[in-house]
Amino acid sequence: MPIVMDADRMARSLARIAHEIVERNRSLEDVALIGIRARGVPLAERLATELEKITGVRVPTGALDITLYRDDLRRPDGPQPVIRSTDVPFSIDDRLILLVDDVLYTGRTIRAAFDALIDFGRPRAIQLVALIDRGHRELPIRADYVGRNIPTSRQQSVQVRLREIDGRDEVEVEG
């Protein structure tokens, strides 16, 4: 199936999102980026780099594992959990948290991430960043910042590949 986003377009999308974050938020003083494992983490790091280029401010970043908060783990036919580390080396209390994920689909991953985040404290607000929004929401969740909207069927899948994990940057629609 087609590559719908190459490395150059991905970089431009992240730069645009960083500019939108700066425009929407007066100050980055109380802002932190938290990426949802696995691919949200390098995207959060890239956004932190872009924000630093624009403002000179290094926004703290963290990594969130939502495995134990997923609602599909309760089903006997659900996937076997692989628990990874959560690393949030700062207080989230009274901060604006930019929650970063690669693909926004049903909204269930984000719901799980909200539950996981609240266990760490009480942020002032949470804004959602998604590289790809493919639609088909099952929960009333929307991204505040989107790299690209890609309409898909439920039978298709969106594969985000990042150089930090996969050795190359691209987004492909399969099926």
Side-chain angles (χ1 to χ4, degrees), residues 87-138:
D87 180 24
V88 181
F90 47 84
S91 170
I92 69 166
D93 291 332
D94 293 321
R95 280 189 184 265
L96 168 61
I97 300 299
L98 297 172
L99 186 62
V100 183
D101 203 8
D102 57 346
V103 178
L104 178 56
Y105 181 33
T106 63
R108 292 184 181 275
T109 296
I110 304 307
R111 188 226 32 97
F114 289 161
D115 289 348
L117 267 180
I118 298 307
D119 279 352
F120 283 92
R122 189 170 195 275
R124 176 173 42 88
I126 300 171
Q127 293 177 357
L128 180 58
V129 179
L131 179 64
I132 304 295
D133 185 344
R134 63 172 290 195
H136 304 288
R137 218 71 80 238
E138 295 174 4

Side-chain angles (χ1 to χ4, degrees), residues 66-169:
I66 61 157
T67 303
L68 296 177
Y69 295 87
R70 291 175 45 173
D71 60 6
D72 58 348
L73 293 181
R74 295 184 196 104
R75 298 173 31 196
D77 63 335
Q80 289 298 313
V82 176
I83 299 172
R84 292 169 253 163
S85 65
T86 289
D87 180 24
V88 181
F90 47 84
S91 170
I92 69 166
D93 291 332
D94 293 321
R95 280 189 184 265
L96 168 61
I97 300 299
L98 297 172
L99 186 62
V100 183
D101 203 8
D102 57 346
V103 178
L104 178 56
Y105 181 33
T106 63
R108 292 184 181 275
T109 296
I110 304 307
R111 188 226 32 97
F114 289 161
D115 289 348
L117 267 180
I118 298 307
D119 279 352
F120 283 92
R122 189 170 195 275
R124 176 173 42 88
I126 300 171
Q127 293 177 357
L128 180 58
V129 179
L131 179 64
I132 304 295
D133 185 344
R134 63 172 290 195
H136 304 288
R137 218 71 80 238
E138 295 174 4
L139 299 172
I141 291 173
R142 67 166 177 76
D144 297 281
Y145 310 97
V146 175
R148 183 160 177 206
N149 289 290
I150 300 176
T152 62
S153 72
R154 288 192 179 273
Q155 292 72 39
Q156 292 175 307
S157 69
V158 175
Q159 300 300 315
V160 174
R161 296 183 187 92
L162 301 176
R163 68 177 178 272
E164 296 89 340
I165 297 170
D166 310 293
R168 65 188 187 279
D169 286 341

Side-chain angles (χ1 to χ4, degrees), residues 14-82:
L14 290 171
R16 178 180 45 78
I17 289 170
H19 280 280
E20 289 175 13
I21 290 168
V22 170
E23 288 173 14
R24 183 169 173 180
N25 301 288
R26 289 182 203 142
S27 166
L28 298 183
E29 187 176 307
D30 294 324
V31 172
L33 289 153
I34 297 181
I36 299 173
R37 289 211 184 270
R39 286 170 178 76
V41 176
L43 291 172
E45 289 290 340
R46 292 184 194 188
L47 280 171
T49 300
E50 289 295 324
L51 289 168
E52 188 173 16
K53 285 180 193 173
I54 298 166
T55 66
V57 174
R58 182 66 185 179
V59 175
T61 61
L64 188 65
D65 178 40
I66 61 157
T67 303
L68 296 177
Y69 295 87
R70 291 175 45 173
D71 60 6
D72 58 348
L73 293 181
R74 295 184 196 104
R75 298 173 31 196
D77 63 335
Q80 289 298 313
V82 176

